[in-house]
Amino acid sequence: KNQVEQSPQSLIILEGKNCTLQCNYTVSPFSNLRWYKQDTGRGPVSLTIMTFSENTKSNGRYTATLDADTKQSSLHITASQLSDSASYICVVSARGTGGFKTIFGAGTRLFVKA
Amino acid sequence: EAGVTQFPSHSVIEKGQTVTLRCDPISGHDNLYWYRRVMGKEIKFLLHFVKESKQDESGMPNNRFLAERTGGTYSTLKVQPAELEDSGVYFCASSLGLAGGSDEQYFGPGTRLTVT
């Protein structure tokens, strides 16, 4: 069964600190993995997209890693800011006969406190 | 450039009524997706249009849901008749549709549907 598991469910950190969010997946055959940031009341916004051959990708203070062998990904946030408070969603796409299947994780809720 | 827009932002209807959600994708995006998040659950795929054609509608929960994309521009998602379990946030996303399926999807703000 195609699944995407994220941990932790929620996280509280102090402004300026770093944090790492985890994503494990069982999606097959793997096509790509995306990390999204979703602010409350808004739609998800793409942070990174990685294909099978990519093992790291950065977008400002966000750095995503991908280990396709262990089917794990992480999102590292450096020097957190109050505006980083949001849900972070890991999304994995699998290539199927009818196109691509997209499976979302439940997200990690990040709270950055002053 | 305008992003993906959705209308309405909120809708409250009674069980048995009909509701139509609208999505306007980014101009020039051939791919349009509908997703749904029900309370406490992860976002789930509903269906995918390429221009006016349904590429994949495997995520549509049942025949009470009907999606259309006439002319390959905006799309509507109709729920008829609505049931309590249809409550949730419905997201629309669009993308250019690059080869390999790794193109970026741009999400709208969602429509929050409450069925009472």
Side-chain angles (χ1 to χ4, degrees):
Chain A
K1 181 181 178 182
N2 289 327
Q3 285 187 309
V4 177
E5 302 285 343
Q6 292 189 244
S7 63
Q9 278 189 312
S10 63
L11 181 63
I12 303 173
I13 62 173
L14 292 176
E15 185 180 14
K17 298 296 185 181
N18 304 334
C19 66
T20 300
L21 314 180
Q22 300 291 343
C23 173
N24 296 339
Y25 62 92
T26 58
V27 177
S28 180
F30 176 86
S31 176
N32 61 75
L33 185 147
R34 309 157 192 255
W35 282 94
Y36 286 92
K37 177 186 179 187
Q38 184 177 18
D39 293 306
T40 301
R42 310 286 289 270
V45 174
S46 179
L47 295 175
T48 62
I49 302 173
M50 288 184 291
T51 58
F52 185 87
S53 59
E54 297 173 296
N55 55 25
T56 187
K57 185 163 281 188
S58 292
N59 178 359
R61 295 179 296 102
Y62 301 102
T63 299
T65 64
L66 173 64
D67 186 333
D69 292 330
T70 62
K71 298 186 178 182
Q72 295 180 324
S73 177
S74 65
L75 180 69
H76 186 75
I77 304 174
T78 304
S80 61
Q81 300 176 358
L82 297 178
S83 59
D84 292 333
S85 295
S87 287
Y88 291 84
I89 305 171
C90 176
V91 183
V92 183
S93 293
R95 182 185 290 275
T97 53
F100 293 90
K101 300 296 182 185
T102 302
I103 298 94
F104 287 70
T108 291
R109 189 75 175 91
L110 175 66
F111 300 88
V112 180
K113 303 183 77 172
Chain B
E1 178 185 308
V4 177
T5 58
Q6 293 186 246
F7 182 83
S9 56
H10 293 85
S11 180
V12 180
I13 62 172
E14 293 183 353
K15 176 182 172 180
Q17 288 186 321
T18 297
V19 63
T20 299
L21 313 181
R22 173 170 170 144
C23 168
D24 286 78
I26 293 172
S27 177
H29 281 193
D30 286 341
N31 290 266
L32 187 148
Y33 307 82
W34 282 100
Y35 298 94
R36 174 175 76 168
R37 184 204 293 268
V38 296
M39 183 68 72
K41 300 283 189 179
E42 67 274 15
I43 296 172
K44 287 194 173 179
F45 166 83
L46 295 178
L47 89 160
H48 170 206
F49 283 100
V50 177
K51 296 185 179 178
E52 67 274 13
S53 299
K54 292 177 185 175
Q55 177 76 15
D56 182 355
E57 55 183 329
S58 60
M60 295 287 263
N62 51 61
N63 59 11
R64 294 185 294 103
F65 289 75
L66 175 65
E68 294 180 321
R69 191 182 183 195
T70 306
T73 54
Y74 71 91
S75 174
T76 59
L77 179 64
K78 179 189 289 187
V79 184
Q80 179 182 29
E83 297 289 345
L84 297 178
E85 63 264 27
D86 299 333
S87 296
V89 181
Y90 290 76
F91 291 103
C92 174
S94 72
S95 72
L96 278 171
L98 302 176
S102 297
D103 56 329
E104 184 164 348
Q105 292 186 24
Y106 296 85
F107 281 76
T111 292
R112 181 174 294 278
L113 174 64
T114 303
V115 182
T116 63

